[in-house]
Amino acid sequence: MARLVLKFGGTSVADIDRIRNVARHVKREVDAGHQVAVVVSAMSGKTNELVEWCRAASPMHDAREYDAVVASGEQVTAGLLAITLQGMGVNARSWMGWQIAIRTDGAHGAARIQEIEGEEIVRRFAEGQVAVVAGFQGIAPDNRIATLGRGGSDTSAVAIAAAIKADRCDIYTDVDGVYTTDPRIEPKARRMAKISFEEMLEMASLGAKVLQVRSVELAMVHKVRLFVRSSFEDPDAPGMGDLLNPPGTLICDEDEIVEQQVVTGIAYAKDEAQISLRRVEDQPGVAAAIFGPLADAGVNVDMIVQNISEDGTRTDMTFTVPASDLPKATAILEKAKPEMRFDVIQSELGLTKVSVIGVGMRSHTGVAATAFKALAKRGINIRAITTSEIKISILIDGEFSELAVRSLHSVYGLDKA
């Protein structure tokens, strides 16, 4: 007998037929004798609809009331799944985030989980009950519902798995695992059997949409083994109930991966924008004056490049931000121009960040050179580069996105089984 947390995303619970299919996945694990907690998202499209209703009611709405509205989507799904399971003879009960309780900080709309009281769920396990938990929500210090931000149900599932000491947390979605790159761009992309927490964290933060970044962070800290699986496979197909090696991708500690490839995957993020500040005074404190206000405004800055003039008195500062943040970033920079001490601000849209990821890069040389040669061979110009121990990110013109992904995927042999 094992203790499992199963999480089902919006497309997996999009209508009653799909909820019935989800219930079959849950019943399979219950029939195998496992203790099961289920975390569900809102039905596909429902959260967007609720958000639009809030905006239509008032563009400057109260964040606490916003949370009360948007959290209702998961509540509906949890109740419907519990009803469906009961109809199949499974002892199930729905739980809202505040009933467990999942305690968060006070940042309504983007709260972070601080503590989970999982004792009652564990007590119900002993009675043979399945807990169906509304994801994406908890209770803030002001005793009101707080939501965790987009993708927050992934985080709910991992946090609950850590709290109840689950043997595994299965993330069911509309894909059957984590691939070496986006299969829509490169048909030769392969599903990985295993990937380390660190690599998945980089993949998620650099454009892969399979898991929310915060959920991977939590899993890495608490050593929660994650399986990414497809909810659209037949729940009773061979191997689906395999406890140790079900179909999908295992996200685990690096020590569990015996043969580690140099490069594991290629991620990409479109719609990057580049900002250049020309002739910035090269004085202590200027960088802090530039990036401090951007951080305070929630603008995510990446790929910073600095070029100092020959006489050492001036510098050009270039960095990237998400395209959606460009108007906000340029407004902040223009407003604080006297403190930031630059002459001209320039910006450009339509760029893409392509990243090469792999923990094997720590012990191998020439990985970056291979990427640069592959892009040069295709006539792709590099705008900026950033590196860490396990990743290389390269900024290029957006029109070359797909060509770059395919070229890098091939040059590292990721298209070979």
Side-chain angles (χ1 to χ4, degrees), residues 391-413:
K391 75 114 194 293
I392 303 159
S393 289
I394 301 165
L395 189 69
I396 62 172
D397 291 332
E399 63 187 292
F400 297 111
S401 302
E402 297 188 8
L403 179 60
V405 168
R406 288 195 295 267
S407 299
L408 293 173
H409 192 266
S410 174
V411 78
Y412 291 113

Side-chain angles (χ1 to χ4, degrees), residues 38-327:
V38 187
V39 177
V40 292
S41 298
M43 299 164 86
S44 183
K46 182 55 67 177
T47 300
N48 287 340
E49 182 181 32
L50 294 169
V51 169
E52 287 306 314
W53 286 355
C54 290
R55 288 175 179 161
S58 173
M60 301 298 290
H61 46 255
D62 186 319
R64 291 163 296 187
E65 301 307 333
Y66 167 92
D67 276 354
V69 173
V70 299
S72 66
E74 281 72 17
Q75 181 171 326
V76 169
T77 310
L80 289 172
L81 179 56
I83 289 169
T84 306
L85 285 167
Q86 289 167 6
M88 293 179 170
V90 176
N91 179 7
R93 182 62 63 197
S94 66
W95 295 78
M96 304 307 104
W98 57 269
Q99 291 176 302
I100 291 176
I102 300 172
R103 302 197 179 277
T104 72
D105 61 19
H108 285 275
R112 292 173 75 90
I113 295 172
Q114 295 184 326
E115 181 187 7
I116 291 183
E117 298 163 13
E119 295 84 358
E120 184 63 15
I121 288 179
V122 173
R123 189 181 73 78
R124 298 293 185 100
F125 282 161
E127 299 174 2
Q129 190 173 97
V130 171
V132 183
V133 183
F136 177 63
Q137 60 181 255
I139 185 165
D142 60 6
N143 231 28
R144 297 190 63 89
I145 291 173
T147 61
L148 309 179
R150 285 309 176 104
S153 293
D154 286 350
T155 305
S156 299
V158 173
I160 290 169
I164 66 173
K165 296 181 169 53
D167 297 285
R168 200 177 73 213
C169 179
D170 291 357
I171 307 291
Y172 282 87
T173 181
D174 53 1
V175 295
D176 61 352
V178 182
Y179 280 72
T180 48
T181 196
D182 188 340
R184 294 170 300 180
I185 288 181
E186 176 49 87
K188 294 180 182 178
R190 293 181 297 106
R191 186 179 74 189
M192 292 178 270
K194 294 181 180 181
I195 182 173
S196 73
F197 289 124
E198 284 185 273
E199 290 169 323
M200 192 65 235
L201 189 58
E202 292 285 8
M203 293 277 280
S205 63
L206 293 167
K209 302 287 193 299
V210 180
L211 286 170
Q212 191 214 37
V213 174
R214 176 68 181 143
S215 68
V216 184
E217 288 176 346
L218 269 179
M220 185 163 66
V221 169
H222 295 286
K223 304 294 185 190
V224 175
R225 298 169 83 247
L226 299 178
F227 257 101
V228 176
R229 308 179 62 176
S230 172
S231 64
F232 298 127
E233 291 188 30
D234 182 351
D236 301 316
M240 288 297 286
D242 189 331
L243 178 63
L244 299 178
N245 191 32
T249 298
L250 173 63
I251 303 163
C252 58
D253 201 73
E254 191 180 331
D255 296 341
E256 286 195 53
I257 303 175
V258 180
E259 291 186 27
Q260 190 61 252
Q261 285 185 278
V262 179
V263 171
T264 301
I266 311 296
Y268 69 96
K270 292 184 176 180
D271 298 323
E272 294 284 304
Q274 188 178 61
I275 297 175
S276 296
L277 305 180
R278 303 299 184 192
R279 295 179 292 282
V280 182
E281 285 188 22
D282 191 26
Q283 297 291 330
V286 172
I290 292 169
F291 296 114
L294 293 173
D296 293 341
V299 176
N300 185 26
V301 174
D302 190 20
M303 306 189 82
I304 303 168
V305 178
Q306 185 174 359
N307 296 312
I308 301 173
S309 62
E310 286 186 20
D311 62 7
T313 62
R314 295 274 175 170
T315 181
D316 287 345
M317 191 86 71
T318 301
F319 53 91
T320 61
V321 298
S324 58
D325 283 343
L326 182 60

